[in-house]
Amino acid sequence: MWMEPLLGVKIGCLFALLVLTLVCGLIPICFKWFQIDAATGRHRRVLSLLGCASAGVFLGAGLMHMTAEALEGIDSEIQKFKMQNRTEKEGNASDDAGSAQMEYPYGELIISLGFFFVFFLESLALQCCPGAAGESPVQEEWSGTHVLELHSHGSPPLPSKRPLRALVLLLSLSFHSVFEGLAVGLQPTVATAVQLCLAVLAHKGLVVFGVGLRLVQIGTGSRWATLSILSLALMSPMGLVLGLAVTRGDSKGGQGLAQAVLEGVAAGTFLYVTFLEILPRELAGPEAPLAKWGCVATGFAFMAFIALWA
């Protein structure tokens, strides 16, 4: 009898996740005010500070949510695996070896593998097609010649198109969104499902808004940007449906470990894009450095505050 209200609440959460993601992601795409290429003067400075705030949101999402959840999940699954095999081990020597193995930072290793995997893909793309990924943001934004040009002409360089990193950003967020929806779908009570859904909605809206803003700033066409946001919006509901299916069926033994590993790889890829693409580009211009720092810190602080409940 009590399962019917729970199912209704989860279906409501499904539509809430879908609608919020679509609305927040499409706002920067549908309104020309957010296009920094055509902005000048105060309008451009406001968009630059807004981009810095979204960079802080990405930083907070990567460190306080995706990385933290991946580390917690990987550590939990490894502990379960060790507990299952502990009965087969006897003697002090084997116990010492087992404790030494448990102290190894497997979670950090998996996240680093995700980081280096995307690093390898981008290096491979640059090696095979030197112009495919565009100019490096470090070379483009921080070189001494560009600093001189900034002081001479007074306008920051336009963002170069980085299709590979934009794709990596969307894929990593898609993985994370699936796992967020899966967590909501697995909740056993109405109260926990609503609480977790509200926490996901609170930070997901800002993150998806930042994704839409990022797609606009790198020059993505409106059609492809809309399709990207639509595909991203479907990920959390898909995960929620998977969670509902799991609660009605039997979960396999390695499912939790596979989920934790995938989330760790997604966190590593997200950190790669955040530190090597988003932050360098937003902080490149020499104007108002303290204001930019404040916007990045504000975005990060908001995500850290939401992490108290998420």
Side-chain angles (χ1 to χ4, degrees):
M1 295 293 293
W2 60 274
M3 280 297 293
E4 293 302 325
L6 179 60
L7 181 61
V9 166
K10 289 182 178 180
I11 293 176
C13 293
L14 186 151
F15 284 103
L17 290 170
L18 178 62
V19 172
L20 180 81
T21 305
L22 282 175
V23 171
C24 293
L26 292 178
I27 285 177
I29 299 172
C30 295
F31 293 94
K32 294 183 178 180
W33 188 87
F34 292 96
Q35 296 180 2
I36 196 170
D37 291 356
T40 57
R42 184 178 181 181
H43 182 194
R44 190 181 188 91
R45 288 193 296 271
V46 171
L47 287 180
S48 177
L49 295 179
L50 184 61
C52 291
S54 68
V57 170
F58 281 121
L59 183 62
L63 294 177
M64 303 299 296
H65 292 270
M66 296 181 70
T67 301
E69 293 170 9
L71 290 175
E72 182 181 0
I74 294 171
D75 181 68
S76 175
E77 293 299 324
I78 290 177
Q79 295 292 339
K80 292 178 182 178
F81 179 77
K82 297 293 184 181
M83 290 293 294
Q84 291 176 357
N85 294 339
R86 180 171 296 179
T87 55
E88 301 177 1
K89 297 181 179 180
E90 296 179 358
N92 294 331
S94 60
D95 289 340
D96 294 339
S99 61
Q101 290 179 354
M102 291 174 67
E103 294 175 357
Y104 188 82
Y106 290 103
E108 288 81 354
L109 176 63
I110 293 174
I111 293 173
S112 301
L113 289 177
F115 184 96
F116 278 100
F117 177 69
V118 182
F119 191 8
F120 169 75
L121 289 181
E122 185 168 280
S123 301
L124 183 63
L126 287 172
Q127 183 71 28
C128 299
C129 305
E135 187 178 4
S136 169
V138 177
Q139 293 176 345
E140 178 185 355
E141 311 289 359
W142 292 99
S143 61
T145 55
H146 259 305
V147 172
L148 292 177
E149 291 177 6
L150 284 171
H151 287 291
S152 301
H153 302 286
S155 61
L158 296 178
S160 63
K161 297 181 180 181
R162 308 288 295 185
L164 181 60
R165 286 180 176 173
L167 178 62
V168 168
L169 176 65
L170 288 170
L171 288 177
S172 61
L173 279 177
S174 296
F175 272 115
H176 184 64
S177 297
V178 170
F179 297 138
E180 285 179 335
L182 182 63
V184 175
L186 291 174
Q187 295 306 305
T189 64
V190 172
T192 55
V194 172
Q195 181 180 4
L196 183 58
C197 182
L198 290 176
V200 171
L201 290 172
H203 79 269
K204 192 175 184 62
L206 284 176
V207 171
V208 177
F209 177 85
V211 172
L213 184 64
R214 195 75 208 154
L215 292 174
V216 170
Q217 290 183 349
I218 66 174
T220 307
S222 59
R223 178 182 299 179
W224 288 109
T226 302
L227 289 176
S228 299
I229 295 298
L230 178 60
S231 62
L232 182 60
L234 293 174
M235 293 299 107
S236 287
M238 183 186 302
L240 199 152
V241 171
L242 290 175
L244 290 174
V246 169
T247 56
R248 294 176 179 271
D250 297 330
S251 59
K252 298 180 181 179
Q255 180 179 351
L257 181 59
Q259 175 182 334
V261 170
L262 287 175
E263 191 159 4
V265 173
T269 59
F270 190 87
L271 291 178
Y272 179 89
V273 176
T274 301
F275 282 104
L276 272 73
E277 167 71 11
I278 297 175
L279 283 174
R281 189 167 301 282
E282 296 299 340
L283 302 178
E287 69 278 357
L290 285 180
K292 289 184 176 182
W293 177 90
C295 290
V296 174
T298 300
F300 179 86
F302 187 80
M303 299 303 290
F305 179 74
I306 293 176
L308 293 173
W309 296 277

